[in-house]
Amino acid sequence: MNTTGKVIRCRAATHWKPGAPLAIEEIEVAPPKAKEVRIKIVATGLCGTEMKMLANPNSHNNYPIILGHEGAGIVESVGEGVSTVKTGDKVITLFLSLFLPQCGECASCLNPGGNFCVQFKQSKTGLMSDGTSRFTCKGKPVYHFGNTSTFSEYTVIKISVTKIDAVAPLEKVCLISCGFSTGYGAAITTAKVTPGSSCAVFGLGGVGLSVIMGCKAAGAARIIGVDVNKDKFEKAKEVGATECINPQDFEKPIQEVLFDMTGAGVEFCFEAIGNPATVAGKAERTSLNWFLITWQRSL
């Protein structure tokens, strides 16, 4: 059935109020307007961002809201002015669209050194550019999360999507929307890891593993993974870590252990735990170059 230009009814995990669990609701998704794309979401990741927002009642003010930002799916229809994707294309939501949607046409978007779109301003209102929502539930407007809202069977976002290979497994590439690009990009783009350098990566979850892959791709000679869970060491070494250590195995502070291991301290250090205190506690006493990985640290 052709749904172009029509309201689509589907299910979405809706967050109604602070502290409440997500509720699976039937919602209505309006057609995309100019510079917008409506996507059938096939797979979505569950990022730590959502976990923290659900645990912290004060993390956002607009309710009800549909969360989710690591999405992969198929374009159902496009609005006026969209030429980069078409109906039927496999796409992933762009990580930058979470808070920095991009038109791909203005001087800032076309500049390799810039990413703050002139046409699409950063929005914290949970609404689209025209000040309205494309979601409704039980007669009430439902807010968007960061221009993505991938916890829905269908979503409407600004043009910030990219076409991917038709054979790409959507349940895997959805992680490129955030987790992989955050870690890999932190090493390649933000830190600009140099060939032959030494690196330490604190936290060997999905983002930390992506950092390791970025460090390896950049040509780092030594990549030390740091985590209290030794079960993660094998996977870290598979993707490029040269060695892994557990801080609990040492009496010395971990920064002193790293100094002793390398003779001078590593040249690049990444915090992929999500705890700024890790950086604050170490950077004061070492000469390490720290890169706190947050949503800004993208590819």
Side-chain angles (χ1 to χ4, degrees):
M1 183 178 72
N2 185 5
T3 53
T4 302
K6 301 176 182 178
V7 172
I8 292 178
R9 288 181 172 81
C10 65
R11 295 175 300 172
T14 308
H15 196 200
W16 284 97
K17 61 181 180 179
L22 297 178
I24 305 301
E25 304 280 7
E26 181 178 89
I27 66 167
E28 296 79 38
V29 184
K33 295 186 179 181
K35 298 289 186 178
E36 297 176 358
V37 180
R38 186 161 63 180
I39 302 169
K40 178 182 179 180
I41 296 294
V42 176
T44 182
L46 176 60
C47 181
T49 298
E50 274 82 25
M51 298 301 292
K52 289 181 179 179
M53 293 183 72
L54 291 170
N56 180 5
N58 299 316
S59 59
H60 55 95
N61 300 316
N62 300 316
Y63 293 92
I65 189 170
I66 297 173
L67 301 175
H69 64 272
E70 290 184 332
I74 301 170
V75 174
E76 177 272 336
S77 60
V78 301
E80 180 183 355
V82 176
S83 59
T84 54
V85 295
K86 64 183 184 304
T87 299
D89 283 346
K90 277 189 174 182
V91 296
I92 56 173
T93 57
L94 293 181
F95 175 77
L96 278 176
S97 70
L98 179 57
F99 292 111
L100 293 175
Q102 294 178 292
C103 69
E105 300 172 351
C106 69
S108 179
C109 287
L110 295 175
N111 183 344
N115 62 6
F116 200 92
C117 182
V118 175
Q119 289 192 39
F120 293 153
K121 303 298 183 182
Q122 180 177 356
S123 175
K124 296 181 180 179
T125 64
L127 300 173
M128 303 300 278
S129 297
D130 64 353
T132 65
S133 172
R134 302 292 171 268
F135 301 128
T136 55
C137 182
K138 300 178 180 179
K140 297 181 179 180
V142 179
Y143 287 100
H144 296 250
F145 173 64
N147 185 41
T148 46
S149 293
T150 59
F151 288 176
S152 174
E153 291 177 321
Y154 285 85
T155 189
V156 176
I157 72 173
K158 297 185 181 75
I159 203 171
S160 300
V161 298
T162 190
K163 182 180 177 179
I164 59 176
D165 196 300
V167 300
L170 297 178
E171 71 279 5
K172 295 180 179 179
V173 298
C174 64
L175 300 179
I176 295 176
S177 296
C178 175
F180 176 78
S181 59
T182 299
Y184 191 90
I188 298 294
T189 305
T190 305
K192 294 180 172 61
V193 170
T194 53
S197 61
S198 59
C199 306
V201 181
F202 281 67
L204 301 179
V207 174
L209 295 178
S210 300
V211 174
I212 291 173
M213 287 186 273
C215 292
K216 181 180 179 180
R222 196 170 184 183
I223 306 171
I224 305 171
V226 183
D227 202 296
V228 296
N229 185 351
K230 293 183 178 180
D231 292 341
K232 298 179 179 181
F233 290 178
E234 181 180 356
K235 179 60 68 176
K237 291 179 179 178
E238 284 181 16
V239 299
T242 56
E243 56 210 291
C244 296
I245 57 175
N246 182 345
Q248 296 176 341
D249 291 340
F250 303 92
E251 295 183 0
K252 291 182 179 180
I254 191 61
Q255 67 270 20
E256 294 182 17
V257 174
L258 289 171
F259 189 91
D260 291 342
M261 290 175 65
T262 59
V266 296
E267 295 162 270
F268 299 93
C269 198
F270 300 85
E271 198 283 342
I273 304 169
N275 183 5
T278 307
V279 176
K282 308 296 186 299
E284 292 176 357
R285 291 172 284 178
T286 71
S287 59
L288 304 182
N289 291 317
W290 279 91
F291 295 90
L292 176 62
I293 299 173
T294 61
W295 67 267
Q296 294 100 329
R297 307 305 194 195
S298 60
L299 187 61

